[in-house]
Amino acid sequence: MKEKIKISNDLLQIIPKQKLFEYNILPQKVEDNSLYISTPDKNNQRLFNELKFLTGYRIIADELPADLILDSLYKLFPEQQKKENSGKDKSFPNGISESSTIDFVNQIISSAIKTGASDIHFEVLEETARIRFRIDGHLREAYSISKDKSPSIASRLKIMANLDISEKRRPQDGRIRFEYEKNYIDIRVSSLPTSFGEKIVLRILDKTQLRLDLEKLGLNRNQVDILKRNLHLPYGMILVTGPTGSGKTTSLYAALQHIHTIDKNIMTVEDPIEYNLSGINQCNVKSDIGFDFASALRSFLRQDPDIIMVGEIRDKETAEIAIRASLTGHLVFSTLHTNDSVSCITRLIDMGIEPFLVASSVRLVVAQRLVRKLCSCKNEVNNDPFLEKNGISTGFIKNGCPKCNYTGYSGRVALFELLEINNNLSSLISKNATESEIREEVGIHGFRTLRDSGMEKIKDGITSYEEVLRETLL
């Protein structure tokens, strides 16, 4: 949607061309003695003070990605792009090339938090370097920087994360506690040596954005009732499945928060702990000293637990201990990496767990995916063959506006599939039924798949069918 941005020639007379590139801004209009601009950081007061002094106007800003602004400037001044490509660094916005590395890194992290990014990627390529934000599950390039600046950025990030700045041959992991708008935000840091330099990824763990209300996860009314019913069981196993980044941890935390009371001893082992939950005992896996999921579980059983959460079942040993705990009076939560809820059952059996133990212990399997939500600028669509085939007369497709950075999407919502193990299904699993036999059984009773959940969200105008098709199977 970049072609939608236009600049009046009159506005280009207000600010010299070189200043547009130096500050990385787009002037939009002058109205009531105010200059309206677009900038990557609409809270950069230093920039606004300079512009007010330069132009004499009061500055009012909205926010657009740096690459979108830069591309628009290059379309207006193509000769400048040739000049930039000849060696000058085009990357640092708002005069950042004149600021310290510390200021630049802080600005990047602040900008990522503000835009709702979950991750920041600092990457060194063969001839340049770039910084990308993962927003709503998709990576977007935020800045392109000269390669010679990457070592100082990497060193600064390592210092902030208490890592060894001299060690560039081995991966390292650390943590940053970053102050943003009077709140402290935890950031997980991972460095990795690559062919052209160190790649550093920052995972932003913003607790202020964590939604731990079961009613707001994206479940429909019937699914909420099923989940709550199983959360209040005295013992058994509840499994959450889905790929990395599908929101499993958030769902588990919401479940724990829902059943947490002063009279319950809740213990978790995670790799790593993503958020600290008040009143819950959380442990971090430490593989270097042999404290893995299995050994943590064994220790938990000597700590008089009521409820146990295991970050992930990765092997037969962990699965066996978790199942034994669920059969001896404990409610156990965990995750598995499978495509859907039914394959979660067969995955446990494939790991070597006896079918009758799976049937006796597993009470509920929750499969989930995250899809992007349509921005309010969405367009209505009628008579679409795909929608009509699925019984939907009216749907919506993405459009694009400044609010959603012209992507057509803003935020994400989860799709859920809940497989409750009733007596008939338990009997079938005990007999070592195949995956297709289990699917046939649940299909008879109106089992709703991830795709069905997606169709419900399409019908409600929450997401598009492109998103549902991308994340679910037929």
Side-chain angles (χ1 to χ4, degrees):
M1 297 293 178
K2 296 179 182 179
E3 64 276 4
K4 289 192 174 185
I5 293 180
K6 306 290 183 184
I7 304 177
S8 163
N9 287 329
D10 292 336
L11 286 174
L12 296 177
Q13 305 303 314
I14 296 174
I15 304 175
K17 178 181 70 173
Q18 64 270 26
K19 288 295 182 182
L20 295 180
F21 281 93
E22 180 182 343
Y23 297 137
N24 198 25
I25 60 172
L26 286 174
Q28 301 291 356
K29 65 179 179 179
V30 172
E31 188 175 282
D32 297 330
N33 203 37
S34 297
L35 172 62
Y36 289 76
I37 66 166
S38 295
T39 171
D41 182 5
K42 66 178 181 182
N43 290 321
N44 191 335
Q45 198 57 51
R46 183 183 67 179
L47 168 67
F48 302 155
N49 290 339
E50 290 184 24
L51 287 175
K52 184 177 180 180
F53 178 78
L54 179 68
T55 66
Y57 290 107
R58 186 166 65 102
I59 306 301
I60 298 178
D62 64 14
E63 204 162 80
L64 283 178
D67 62 332
L68 186 60
I69 293 174
L70 198 59
D71 283 354
S72 298
L73 290 176
Y74 283 152
K75 287 179 181 178
L76 288 163
F77 307 105
E79 73 282 358
Q80 185 72 15
Q81 186 167 20
K82 295 177 183 177
K83 182 179 177 182
E84 300 280 8
N85 290 340
S86 67
K88 183 182 174 185
D89 180 15
K90 67 181 182 181
S91 59
F92 295 108
N94 303 339
I96 197 67
S97 57
E98 300 173 3
S99 302
S100 67
T101 301
I102 293 174
D103 289 338
F104 177 59
V105 169
N106 288 343
Q107 179 179 323
I108 291 298
I109 296 174
S110 295
S111 178
I113 294 170
K114 187 171 185 178
T115 57
S118 60
D119 303 86
I120 310 172
H121 291 240
F122 294 82
E123 300 167 305
V124 187
L125 308 177
E126 187 171 6
E127 297 180 352
T128 185
R130 69 185 177 189
I131 299 167
R132 295 191 290 171
F133 295 169
R134 187 176 293 280
I135 301 174
D136 295 339
H138 290 249
L139 280 171
R140 304 178 194 168
E141 185 168 321
Y143 306 108
S144 174
I145 62 177
S146 62
K147 189 175 179 179
D148 59 6
K149 295 186 186 298
S150 59
S152 61
I153 292 172
S155 294
R156 173 58 189 164
L157 289 168
K158 284 182 168 183
I159 289 170
M160 293 172 73
N162 292 316
L163 301 179
D164 183 356
I165 63 171
S166 64
E167 179 56 78
K168 299 179 181 179
R169 300 169 301 167
R170 295 187 180 91
Q172 296 186 72
D173 295 300
R175 216 172 180 95
I176 294 171
R177 194 164 176 77
F178 187 79
E179 186 175 1
Y180 176 77
E181 294 186 348
K182 299 181 180 179
N183 289 316
Y184 284 98
I185 293 173
D186 288 328
I187 299 174
R188 203 164 71 223
V189 181
S190 172
S191 73
L192 180 74
T194 69
S195 300
F196 304 110
E198 286 185 282
K199 174 181 170 70
I200 298 182
V201 175
L202 275 57
R203 166 62 60 89
I204 300 170
L205 306 172
D206 186 356
K207 196 172 183 178
T208 63
Q209 301 298 315
L210 191 62
R211 300 289 180 263
L212 298 183
D213 187 341
L214 289 181
E215 309 279 349
K216 296 179 181 178
L217 290 177
L219 298 151
N220 64 31
R221 185 70 259 164
N222 183 55
Q223 290 173 329
V224 170
D225 292 341
I226 293 172
L227 182 55
K228 285 183 177 179
R229 180 167 65 242
N230 283 273
L231 290 180
H232 292 287
L233 291 173
Y235 58 88
M237 181 180 286
I238 295 175
L239 296 170
V240 181
T241 185
T244 301
S246 60
K248 298 189 299 297
T249 300
T250 299
S251 295
L252 284 171
Y253 282 172
L256 293 178
Q257 197 81 345
H258 179 75
I259 58 178
H260 173 234
T261 56
I262 193 66
D263 62 333
K264 288 188 174 71
N265 178 19
I266 301 178
M267 307 192 71
T268 79
V269 55
E270 305 168 54
D271 184 22
I273 295 171
E274 294 201 9
Y275 300 96
N276 294 312
L277 301 176
S278 178
I280 292 175
N281 305 285
Q282 296 173 268
C283 298
N284 209 76
V285 164
K286 297 178 182 176
S287 301
D288 54 333
I289 60 171
F291 188 70
D292 55 13
F293 285 124
S295 60
L297 266 175
R298 282 192 290 267
S299 298
F300 282 6
L301 294 175
R302 296 191 289 271
Q303 290 281 317
D304 187 30
D306 296 295
I307 298 163
I308 295 171
M309 193 267 271
V310 187
E312 184 183 345
I313 292 177
R314 296 175 177 170
D315 52 48
K316 181 182 178 183
E317 183 184 13
T318 305
E320 285 177 336
I321 300 171
I323 286 174
R324 186 167 72 245
S326 73
L327 293 173
T328 54
H330 307 92
L331 189 59
V332 179
F333 296 83
S334 193
T335 71
L336 273 176
H337 285 283
T338 61
N339 289 327
D340 57 22
S341 56
V342 174
S343 57
C344 191
I345 298 296
T346 53
R347 170 81 174 117
L348 285 171
I349 295 171
D350 290 343
M351 290 173 77
I353 307 301
E354 292 291 339
F356 77 90
L357 289 176
V358 175
S360 302
S361 59
V362 179
R363 303 271 58 88
L364 177 70
V365 183
V366 179
Q368 66 181 80
R369 296 289 189 279
L370 288 176
V371 295
R372 291 181 293 176
K373 297 195 309 187
L374 285 165
C375 178
S376 56
C377 64
K378 61 191 175 185
N379 289 330
E380 187 174 310
V381 60
N382 296 292
N383 304 317
D384 181 274
F386 174 80
L387 295 180
E388 289 181 346
K389 181 181 176 182
N390 288 276
I392 301 173
S393 58
T394 301
F396 293 86
I397 57 174
K398 66 178 182 178
N399 184 18
C401 68
K403 180 183 173 183
C404 62
N405 289 330
Y406 297 96
T407 64
Y409 297 98
S410 179
R412 289 191 289 177
V413 67
L415 308 181
F416 287 95
E417 173 183 292
L418 272 65
L419 177 65
E420 193 171 25
I421 310 300
N422 56 29
N423 289 335
N424 287 342
L425 197 52
S426 178
S427 176
L428 200 60
I429 295 169
S430 294
K431 297 173 184 176
N432 200 16
T434 64
E435 190 171 312
S436 60
E437 289 172 333
I438 295 174
R439 291 187 192 282
E440 184 179 350
E441 167 65 21
V442 298
I444 294 172
H445 301 286
F447 175 67
R448 294 187 64 78
T449 65
L450 284 165
R451 174 60 64 87
D452 293 328
S453 177
M455 291 303 157
E456 198 172 273
K457 297 290 192 297
I458 292 171
K459 190 174 182 179
D460 293 338
I462 296 172
T463 190
S464 66
Y465 58 80
E466 290 95 344
E467 281 293 292
V468 174
L469 287 173
R470 183 171 57 83
E471 290 292 343
T472 64
L473 299 172
L474 288 170

